Amino acid sequence: MSIISSALKSFGATTLGNVTKYSLFNGQSQLFDRDLFENAQQKFRFVALIDDLPAAYISQIDRPSYTIDTQEHMLLDHTVRYPIRIKWDPISFTIKEIYGGKTVGSVGSNLMAKLLAHSYYYPDNVNTDADVGVLSAIVNPLDTARQATYGTKNLSKQNLNRALGLLKIVSLKPDGSAFETWTIYNGMITSVKFSNNSYSDEGLTDATITVNYDWAKLQLGAP
């Protein structure tokens, strides 16, 4: 047995494995050192499940992370810190763009539709009294049906949550089965940045999306 292997086994078995909290406290389980060499999780084994966006188009995505805010207090001549709240950090993902084939629309049009469907009017698409009688002022029946179901468009949290839809990040094993799943709650798109076009670059165009959310849950296995 090598020195490194021996040290890892000793650390995992005695330093952590025999500490009570790793077997009883809050559902934590012991991690075995051998699995580091045989079953390490690889970055490219994932799928991101988002409404109206095929998983194969999403080439990169952040996993959820959190920050605990603290507040400083003076105790005699010492600074001590106390936790205040937990904040979940924004996540970003990258979508590759396509055209043609069986696809009628595009990635860009789907992303814009997520904004336009519930939350936003183009400034030149707002009807006024002067528009009455003009052909362009005829009400779109799809908009009428949508408003009857979801209400008038406005930039509300509920509408942005509905527009993004369900978001799950699934890590995969080599055999393609799900290892663990992150579920994002109350997510909403807060930034869409399309890549630039350039005559000097033959790479694929893409869009980078930033999502803010209230919290995320991690579970083992499939979503």
Side-chain angles (χ1 to χ4, degrees), residues 62 66 85 140 192 216:
D62 296 331
Y66 65 85
R85 65 184 63 86
N140 186 327
V192 176

Side-chain angles (χ1 to χ4, degrees), residues 181-194:
T181 302
W182 281 102
T183 301
I184 308 302
Y185 289 88
N186 296 337
M188 53 185 173
I189 294 175
T190 56
S191 173
V192 176
K193 295 183 178 179
F194 293 101

Side-chain angles (χ1 to χ4, degrees), residues 32 35 44 55 58 64 68 83 96 99 119-120 125 127 137 145 169:
F32 295 92
D35 288 333
F44 70 90
I58 301 172
I68 298 179
K96 298 301 180 183
Y99 70 92
S119 303
Y120 181 69
N125 193 32
N127 292 334
I169 305 168

